[in-house]
Amino acid sequence: MKKRTEISKILSHPPLQAEVTVMGWVRAFRSNRFIALYDGSSAKTLQIVVNFEQFDENLLKKISFHACIAVTGKLVESQGVGQTVEVLAQHIEILGESNPEAYSLQPKVQTMEFLREKAHFRMRTATFSSVFRIRHGVAYAIHKYYNDRGYYYLHSPIITGSDAEGAGEMFRVTTLNLDHVPKTSEGTVDFSLDFFEKPTNLTVSGQLQAEIGALALGKVYTFGPTFRAENSNTSRHLAEFWMIEPEVAFYDIEDNMDLAEDFVKYLINYVLEHFPDDVAFLDQRIKDAEKNMKQEERRPMGLLDTLRFVVDNAFERITYTEAIELILNSKEYKKGKFEFELAWGKDLQAEHERWLVEKCFKKPVIVRNYPKDIKAFYMRLNDDGQTVAAMDVLFPGIGEVIGGSQREERYDVLLQRMHEMGIDEHELLWYLELRKFGGCPHAGFGLGFERMVQFITGMGNIRDVIPFPRTPGNAAF
RNA sequence: GCCUCCUUAGCUCAGUCGGUUAGAGCGGCGGACUGUUAAUCCGUAGGUCCUUGGUUCGAGCCCAAGAGGAGGCGCCA
């Protein structure tokens, strides 16, 4: 294959007056003369100028929307205002035709719902290519952040024999013949004949295994797929999503909050620094879409301004008890603007979290020290005996992006909490033994990867920031 | 799991009180133009009004069931 130059390289260091060969797909062909070509390497297109009198008419007709072409020509300064350089085409080859009469995408704004059903084509659009470039950037930045700080990447298992995490409904993993399920003499499923000789599921969290790592390697993180079989139908939930779970020995809840805040700010900064064109495009895309919307439906701030604001300001840190008081004393609550009643001991509803973030503080909020009864068994009991050292990081628009805690390192207290919450201690003997032998204070959290990408890209639906979303009733592609 | 809304041309939608031949923009196709940036201008084709059943002289419109989709809530990341 002839050597090609990537569009991003041409745009960043233009080899003016040199002959270049570019290969990519047609985003637009205007006036039978100007091709906007993209090849995935940049959010920007490269303008190809075609002197149509010099080319065969049949060839020109095949330069249609999303057709794949190779162009050789001289790179020159552009005469137009929309771009700095352009290629004067000397030779054009059609690598892959795209018959516009039959092709399902069109050069116009199409709805996210329509494009979601065309997942094999949607990545070709400007919006989705920007989203997935940024998604890659966030993933890379996660590894870079932890690697640069001496953390070890720990691979927690995807198939788990434990169903005690309590993080949600699980997907069963089995090789049993579902048409003829073997039964025990009691009539229950005989899992001793299954592949693992016991019931197994897809993981809902790598946290408990990460704790094993933290108590040996000091600082670890997991970053992998997790699965929840909840029948969740919202723009913030997926059945298959990716989660980052750092776990750190000798960290308490304060250290944990510092880490969470520093971490997410780093990720946003990384994208702002390395993907400015993509962020600018998505920012403009949202502004264009909001032109036809009422004032109250628009975002309070543009995407770029929101990201800069989050990076430049300290997150608000309050306790659960303070949060309850703020909400109960708010004029909105007194006027009955909230759907759900609130009282100490009840979990904050989405509307309460949104009020704290978007109305009260107008910035990300970390809420800590929740009542023990509404949180998981492994969270460390505070001295008041009523609350646990849990923390949630709440973001505007998408709510909870991080949930974490200082873990209960005291064997007796942990055992007691497991009994209180009906957790079978025999299932988690290994977890208890971590406390019995060489235990120490430690803490960690889980960051929802797609929720983070959703926030950074400003996409309204989490299904549009993962290439192939899995949701109830949908596992296409 | 619960609640609400939607389904009309390839796409996005309009369609009045139930009334004759189903409307627009974009896209496609044909042509004109040629330094465009969502190019522009002229012309043109394109419809199982989601499906099934019902009410009615008459249904895109009303009723019922089903299918598909979206939004909100809960669960959480």
Side-chain angles (χ1 to χ4, degrees):
Chain A
M1 195 106 195
K2 199 170 179 184
K3 213 84 180 135
R4 62 141 180 159
T5 310
E6 290 190 359
I7 289 172
S8 62
K9 297 221 164 63
I10 288 177
L11 295 178
S12 59
H13 299 94
L16 282 172
Q17 301 304 316
E19 184 186 272
V20 295
T21 295
V22 291
M23 299 181 191
W25 296 268
V26 176
R27 180 151 290 146
F29 188 21
R30 286 183 287 268
S31 300
N32 213 21
R33 186 180 288 278
F34 305 101
I35 302 171
L37 194 74
Y38 70 94
D39 67 0
S41 64
S42 170
K44 291 182 172 160
T45 55
L46 178 65
Q47 173 148 291
I48 312 293
V49 181
V50 182
N51 204 349
F52 58 85
E53 298 88 346
Q54 293 175 2
F55 289 89
D56 180 57
E57 201 175 315
N58 289 320
L59 178 105
L60 294 177
K61 279 197 171 173
K62 289 177 180 170
I63 303 174
S64 59
F65 185 58
H66 284 180
C68 188
I69 63 173
V71 180
T72 301
K74 192 161 85 168
L75 187 77
V76 298
E77 280 186 52
S78 178
Q79 297 174 35
V81 292
Q83 57 283 318
T84 56
V85 296
E86 61 195 17
V87 174
L88 303 176
Q90 283 145 13
H91 181 77
I92 299 175
E93 185 187 350
I94 309 292
L95 298 177
E97 294 180 26
S98 183
N99 178 3
E101 279 186 277
Y103 187 45
S104 41
L105 297 201
Q106 295 169 8
K108 57 175 283 190
V109 174
Q110 304 193 96
T111 61
M112 291 297 127
E113 292 79 28
F114 174 75
L115 292 170
R116 213 173 284 152
E117 292 175 5
K118 314 279 181 207
H120 55 315
F121 288 144
R122 68 173 181 169
M123 238 177 269
R124 302 174 175 198
T125 66
T127 298
F128 282 98
S129 61
S130 280
V131 166
F132 291 120
R133 273 189 293 272
I134 289 174
R135 182 182 167 104
H136 159 81
V138 177
Y140 177 76
I142 287 162
H143 287 301
K144 181 165 168 54
Y145 178 88
Y146 287 117
N147 182 69
D148 290 354
R149 286 158 184 76
Y151 285 68
Y152 299 109
Y153 179 25
L154 188 80
H155 294 94
S156 52
I158 290 169
I159 298 172
T160 170
S162 164
D163 64 351
E165 284 94 337
E169 290 295 311
M170 303 179 94
F171 288 101
R172 174 59 45 85
V173 175
T174 181
T175 56
L176 292 177
N177 183 344
L178 296 181
D179 294 323
H180 303 283
V181 178
K183 295 287 176 68
T184 62
S185 54
E186 286 98 54
T188 57
V189 178
D190 187 356
F191 284 105
S192 70
L193 296 171
D194 204 348
F195 187 90
F196 295 107
E197 301 178 8
K198 61 182 285 196
T200 51
N201 298 293
L202 293 177
T203 184
V204 294
S205 163
Q207 179 207 311
L208 302 189
Q209 291 90 348
E211 288 186 50
I212 295 174
L215 296 188
L217 298 165
K219 297 185 286 188
V220 300
Y221 70 104
T222 72
F223 182 11
T226 43
F227 308 87
R228 307 269 167 95
E230 302 286 347
N231 189 13
S232 295
N233 295 290
T234 82
S235 57
R236 313 183 300 283
H237 289 87
L238 291 164
E240 176 183 302
F241 65 101
W242 289 63
M243 189 154 63
I244 301 98
E245 296 179 287
E247 193 70 35
V248 194
F250 320 117
Y251 257 30
D252 63 17
I253 188 75
E254 295 291 331
D255 301 317
N256 207 26
M257 291 191 289
D258 292 343
L259 176 66
E261 182 169 345
D262 187 59
F263 177 45
V264 297
K265 284 179 169 175
Y266 177 90
L267 297 182
I268 296 169
N269 265 324
Y270 186 88
V271 171
L272 287 173
E273 189 180 335
H274 293 86
F275 297 86
D277 294 344
D278 290 298
V279 174
F281 173 81
L282 293 169
D283 182 57
Q284 190 57 47
R285 175 189 164 273
I286 291 167
K287 287 192 174 115
D288 289 345
E290 287 185 345
K291 274 178 189 162
N292 299 321
M293 291 164 70
K294 290 177 198 152
Q295 191 66 44
E296 62 266 24
E297 289 171 355
R298 295 182 193 171
R299 300 166 62 108
M301 251 190 268
L303 175 63
L304 190 55
D305 292 337
T306 303
L307 296 179
R308 290 206 180 114
F309 182 83
V310 167
V311 163
D312 291 340
N313 288 280
F315 294 3
E316 192 69 34
R317 297 186 184 188
I318 59 173
T319 65
Y320 166 87
T321 304
E322 288 165 349
I324 295 288
E325 283 170 12
L326 280 168
I327 295 163
L328 290 181
N329 291 321
S330 70
K331 61 178 190 288
E332 287 90 349
Y333 191 86
K334 285 172 180 166
K335 282 184 187 167
K337 291 259 173 80
F338 289 105
E339 185 184 345
F340 291 91
E341 274 196 45
L342 196 58
W344 201 98
K346 286 188 180 178
D347 207 355
L348 298 174
Q349 302 292 324
E351 58 176 352
H352 304 132
E353 296 181 348
R354 210 173 303 130
W355 180 83
L356 285 170
V357 173
E358 292 163 20
K359 290 267 161 43
C360 183
F361 293 114
K362 295 187 167 64
K363 56 176 161 173
V365 177
I366 307 181
V367 182
R368 68 180 185 281
N369 295 346
Y370 283 83
K372 63 175 181 171
D373 294 333
I374 58 171
K375 287 292 178 180
F377 71 93
Y378 49 73
M379 298 183 175
R380 192 179 194 276
L381 191 65
N382 287 326
D383 293 342
D384 60 15
Q386 295 303 311
T387 60
V388 290
M391 59 140 197
D392 284 352
V393 180
L394 311 176
F395 265 34
I398 49 176
E400 189 179 340
V401 286
I402 285 179
S405 65
Q406 184 175 342
R407 319 306 188 189
E408 184 56 76
E409 84 280 12
R410 297 162 297 188
Y411 179 89
D412 295 338
V413 181
L414 180 63
L415 192 61
Q416 171 70 24
R417 292 283 293 140
M418 287 172 75
H419 288 160
E420 278 176 27
M421 306 200 77
I423 308 285
D424 182 1
E425 61 185 89
H426 304 291
E427 279 276 319
L428 287 173
L429 278 178
W430 60 268
Y431 191 72
L432 282 159
E433 284 194 334
L434 291 176
R435 277 72 184 163
K436 218 171 192 174
F437 306 101
C440 72
H442 61 289
F445 61 80
L447 169 73
F449 180 60
E450 281 78 13
R451 287 193 182 167
M452 197 66 218
V453 177
Q454 203 185 344
F455 180 75
I456 294 176
T457 58
M459 297 296 281
N461 194 311
I462 200 167
R463 293 162 206 190
D464 299 326
V465 300
I466 186 167
F468 308 104
R470 271 79 182 95
T471 51
N474 194 341
F477 300 93

